[in-house]
Amino acid sequence: GWKWGQAQGLPAPNSRLCPTAAASKLEVSMPAEVEVEIGGTARIECNFYIPGNGSYTYIDWFYLDRTNTPVRLCHITGSEVLKEDTDYKERLSVGEDKALSISKVTLQDARTFLCQVGAGGSDVGENRTELRVYKVPETPEIEPNSAGISVQDSDNALIAKCVSKNSFPSPNITWHKNGEQLVLQENQAKFTRTRESSGLFTVSSTLFAPVTRKDRDSHFHCTVHYWLRGQRHALESRRVKITVFYPAEHLKLHVEPSSALVKEGDNVKLVCEADGNPPPVFSFFKRQLDDNWQELSEVAESDGGVLSLYGVNKSSSGLYKCQSLDLDDMGLLEEEVELVVNYIEGVHVKVDPPSPVLEGGSVTLSCAAHSLVDLDYQWSDEKGTNVGKGNQLFLRNLTFETPNNFNCTVIAPSVPGLEQSKQVTVAVQGKPRIVDISSPLYVRQDEVVNLTCKAIAFPKPSVHWNVNGTAHEYVDKQHVTSNLTVRVSHDLLRAGAMCRVSNGLGVSEKHIQLLDRKTTPESQGVIIVAIIVAILVVAVLGAVIYFLHKKGKIPCGRAGKQDITRPEARKDKIVVEVKSDKLSEEAGLLQGANGDKRPAADQ
């Protein structure tokens, strides 16, 4: 019958000498090819048919050397395997199905193996298998052109180089851009193949092609293709980009921050951007009143395509120009931008009627300023309190106490942070008004005292006393305080003193009354209060005694006298008698409270 085996190396689809039902002689069937990776184990089957269900006499395995001469590997008879002294002796084995296995396959094992079967007499059959050895290539490595490529180069430029190592047999390499395979001319790819000492192949391919501006965003990769077991396989490299040089075609110039928001004092940048690579050389200019352009490299800080202007003001407004020069083709591009610096100037406040204003009068404050944008006005007093909005502020019934410093703040709502302010003083004038005086004043004769008179007025008033003494004045804004140090005489005590305050608009005066401390109603009042307090103390003491009696703390009758204030050894001293007659007790308490004299027995 047929003897079938299995091999680790898969056989090719077609096998030699497929058996037929009409076979009348010994036939041997083997796979045409067996593939195995280097380092693996190859298993080659040998299946045979002997007519009449006969058995084999021997099986011999051979390989063909370089001259196609068979070299026997082993001789099999029954269950005995005799290995020949060849290079395969240590790596060779025969299975129960008589299949030949070769371990640790090398490149040198890629040859033809032959199986010969003998069935007695001269009946012999044989067949052969081609052992193919392969090694999967390593993942390809790609290196792009690091120097950069100019679009103005008319010839094909080196794009990248791709290398794959340690493969067998030799694979192929294809090139791809943005995921699509490139169809290359003969001069656009240079392929090399090198066989290493190990027998494996290293393959490389160099891509040459013209570039355009669009290639600045292109991705390139290479793919290694190899065959394995009748199927095509592929390994891809990483994606790479190349540096492409191209002249600028467009130029942009803008202001940071936005030109509509720039205000005096801001730091501004004029940013010039070109779409060339490498960036061109930038120059900045400003148009003068005579329409000539002034280069700004010497008067402003310029770094590449950025012009920095610090602390801009009204005079910084104007037309600016950026100019780019490409050093490859000497191409020149220009772009202009208008810089508008928002400002507030000429802030002033008009007082109507002009200051100073009479006390009790009214005044109108009008605030005005100049700007390129709409303005809002806010008013605040000297304490920072908001007192009004709009460009006018109306003040009525002015007094000396009215705040006389007002601030007009001018704000540009459309330009955050842009504001200016102006302060104005509204002076209120009028005759003096005495607001504080030390009267009445309690003194003793011959005592040295201070008399105080405080007034408010504008213009500054003068203070006069009708008595002699030492005067000291203190001025705080519109307030004037005069302290007069005098010795109290009999006449001063009787007549008092007069404070007189005057300025060009009028006079105010007030009298200071001096009272003798010995005869003052207040002294009499103190004595009366002291008497009342004493009476209340006695009344409270009597109430306490009555309360103790009602609680049983003090016995009734004269025999029950208790000493509630002294120790027991002093019971014969200061006792209190509590009578059983309620009316008598209450009368006694009232008498005690009024200070009446009681009998000696009740003391």
Side-chain angles (χ1 to χ4, degrees):
W2 284 96
K3 310 294 183 180
W4 296 99
Q6 300 294 328
Q8 288 182 343
L10 295 180
N14 58 325
S15 297
R16 297 192 180 99
L17 296 181
C18 294
T20 62
S24 58
K25 63 177 181 179
L26 189 152
E27 295 182 359
V28 177
S29 176
M30 294 179 67
E33 293 180 353
V34 171
E35 292 183 345
V36 62
E37 186 172 8
I38 293 176
T41 298
R43 190 169 187 273
I44 305 174
E45 299 173 350
C46 182
N47 301 300
F48 50 89
Y49 170 75
I50 301 176
N53 292 326
S55 61
Y56 70 93
T57 304
Y58 69 92
I59 298 176
D60 288 336
W61 280 97
F62 301 86
Y63 74 87
L64 300 181
D65 62 11
R66 294 180 180 180
T67 62
N68 285 331
T69 302
V71 179
R72 190 164 69 179
L73 296 171
C74 62
H75 179 71
I76 305 169
T77 56
S79 60
E80 184 179 1
V81 177
L82 177 62
K83 296 180 181 180
E84 301 292 341
D85 189 13
T86 65
D87 294 337
Y88 288 96
K89 185 175 183 178
E90 301 299 326
R91 298 188 291 134
L92 180 151
S93 63
V94 177
E96 293 183 358
D97 58 354
K98 313 310 176 187
L100 176 68
S101 294
I102 300 174
S103 63
K104 300 177 182 180
V105 173
T106 67
L107 285 177
Q108 287 72 29
D109 297 328
R111 52 182 33 147
T112 301
F113 289 83
L114 186 146
C115 175
Q116 186 182 83
V117 180
S122 60
D123 196 4
V124 176
E126 66 179 36
N127 211 330
R128 63 187 60 192
T129 293
E130 190 74 24
L131 180 60
R132 300 194 178 277
V133 179
Y134 69 89
K135 176 70 170 65
V136 175
E138 296 180 4
T139 300
E141 297 180 356
I142 185 171
E143 288 297 329
N145 185 337
S146 59
I149 308 168
S150 174
V151 297
Q152 297 179 345
D153 292 342
S154 57
D155 297 333
N156 291 329
L158 190 154
I159 304 297
K161 184 177 181 179
C162 179
V163 177
S164 178
K165 299 179 180 179
N166 298 326
S167 60
F168 189 89
S170 174
N172 293 324
I173 296 178
T174 58
W175 285 97
H176 305 258
K177 182 172 77 171
N178 299 326
E180 295 185 3
Q181 183 173 342
L182 294 174
V183 179
L184 303 175
Q185 302 297 325
E186 183 178 353
N187 61 343
Q188 289 184 308
K190 180 181 179 181
F191 182 82
T192 60
R193 177 175 58 192
T194 303
R195 188 156 192 170
E196 308 294 343
S197 58
S198 61
L200 302 179
F201 289 100
T202 294
V203 293
S204 68
S205 178
T206 304
L207 175 65
F208 298 88
V211 295
T212 65
R213 294 172 63 90
K214 294 182 179 179
D215 287 325
R216 66 183 183 272
D217 298 319
S218 296
H219 292 82
F220 295 86
H221 77 275
C222 61
T223 302
V224 173
H225 303 273
Y226 61 96
W227 287 89
L228 176 61
R229 296 167 187 167
Q231 293 183 344
R232 189 180 185 186
H233 298 266
L235 290 173
E236 293 184 352
S237 71
R238 61 187 176 95
R239 269 65 171 169
V240 296
K241 295 181 67 176
I242 59 174
T243 302
V244 180
F245 298 135
Y246 45 88
E249 292 182 348
H250 303 93
L251 191 65
K252 294 181 180 180
L253 178 61
H254 65 275
V255 178
E256 293 181 359
S258 172
S259 180
L261 301 178
V262 176
K263 63 181 182 299
E264 283 193 318
D266 283 350
N267 296 330
V268 176
K269 291 182 179 180
L270 272 63
V271 181
C272 194
E273 298 174 323
D275 59 355
N277 185 39
V281 177
F282 296 99
S283 301
F284 289 91
F285 303 85
K286 183 183 179 185
R287 190 169 68 182
Q288 304 301 301
L289 296 177
D290 57 3
D291 288 340
N292 290 322
W293 291 93
Q294 177 192 6
E295 188 171 0
L296 301 177
S297 58
E298 297 181 358
V299 296
E301 180 179 326
S302 177
D303 181 16
V306 179
L307 177 69
S308 299
L309 303 175
Y310 299 101
V312 297
N313 51 38
K314 177 183 177 181
S315 63
S316 302
S317 297
L319 189 64
Y320 289 79
K321 179 174 68 175
C322 172
Q323 189 178 85
S324 68
L325 175 63
D326 194 297
L327 298 180
D328 285 340
D329 63 357
M330 301 307 291
L332 196 65
L333 297 176
E334 293 182 349
E335 188 66 25
E336 298 175 358
V337 69
E338 183 80 21
L339 174 63
V340 178
V341 179
N342 294 282
Y343 61 90
I344 297 176
E345 65 178 6
V347 180
H348 65 279
V349 179
K350 179 182 177 182
V351 182
D352 186 27
S355 181
V357 182
L358 288 175
E359 188 176 25
S362 300
V363 71
T364 300
L365 305 181
S366 300
C367 188
H370 176 67
S371 179
L372 299 175
V373 294
D374 294 336
L375 300 176
D376 288 344
Y377 299 86
Q378 294 182 355
W379 297 89
S380 59
D381 59 20
E382 56 195 16
K383 295 181 180 179
T385 304
N386 291 330
V387 295
K389 293 183 178 181
N391 65 327
Q392 287 190 327
L393 178 67
F394 301 97
L395 303 174
R396 298 179 177 85
N397 298 323
L398 297 175
T399 65
F400 294 124
E401 289 82 3
T402 303
N404 60 354
N405 290 322
F406 295 89
N407 196 68
C408 172
T409 302
V410 186
I411 302 172
S414 61
V415 185
L418 179 58
E419 63 179 50
Q420 294 287 344
S421 61
K422 184 73 173 181
Q423 189 179 68
V424 65
T425 300
V426 178
V428 178
Q429 65 178 6
K431 73 173 186 177
R433 180 157 35 92
I434 297 176
V435 296
D436 189 19
I437 194 166
S438 55
S439 178
L441 185 63
Y442 298 99
V443 298
R444 291 188 180 91
Q445 189 169 334
D446 294 330
E447 181 183 13
V448 177
V449 296
N450 286 327
L451 307 181
T452 301
C453 181
K454 184 177 182 180
I456 184 171
F458 184 82
K460 178 186 174 183
S462 59
V463 182
H464 300 280
W465 297 89
N466 67 339
V467 295
N468 294 326
T470 303
H472 298 278
E473 283 191 6
Y474 304 94
V475 179
D476 182 14
K477 296 182 179 179
Q478 296 172 324
H479 289 86
V480 177
T481 302
S482 178
N483 291 331
L484 181 67
T485 303
V486 297
R487 183 176 296 277
V488 179
S489 64
H490 176 72
D491 293 338
L492 179 60
L493 186 59
R494 176 178 56 83
M498 183 69 72
C499 172
R500 186 175 186 272
V501 186
S502 63
N503 64 6
L505 299 177
V507 178
S508 292
E509 58 183 15
K510 279 191 177 182
H511 179 261
I512 297 179
Q513 182 184 8
L514 301 180
L515 299 178
D516 194 338
R517 289 183 182 178
K518 294 186 295 184
T519 60
T520 60
E522 286 78 358
S523 300
Q524 296 176 356
V526 172
I527 297 174
I528 293 173
V529 171
I531 294 173
I532 293 174
V533 171
I535 293 174
L536 291 175
V537 170
V538 174
V540 171
L541 180 59
V544 171
I545 295 174
Y546 175 74
F547 176 76
L548 293 176
H549 165 67
K550 296 299 289 181
K551 293 295 184 178
K553 300 297 182 178
I554 302 178
C556 300
R558 294 182 181 272
K561 294 178 181 178
Q562 298 287 334
D563 185 359
I564 63 175
T565 61
R566 304 286 180 144
E568 190 174 344
R570 302 276 299 175
K571 285 184 179 181
D572 58 321
K573 302 290 184 178
I574 309 177
V575 297
V576 177
E577 180 180 0
V578 181
K579 298 180 180 181
S580 60
D581 191 335
K582 184 175 181 180
L583 294 175
S584 299
E585 291 171 351
E586 292 177 353
L589 288 172
L590 290 174
Q591 290 174 358
N594 292 327
D596 295 341
K597 186 176 180 181
R598 291 179 291 170
D602 296 334
Q603 293 180 354

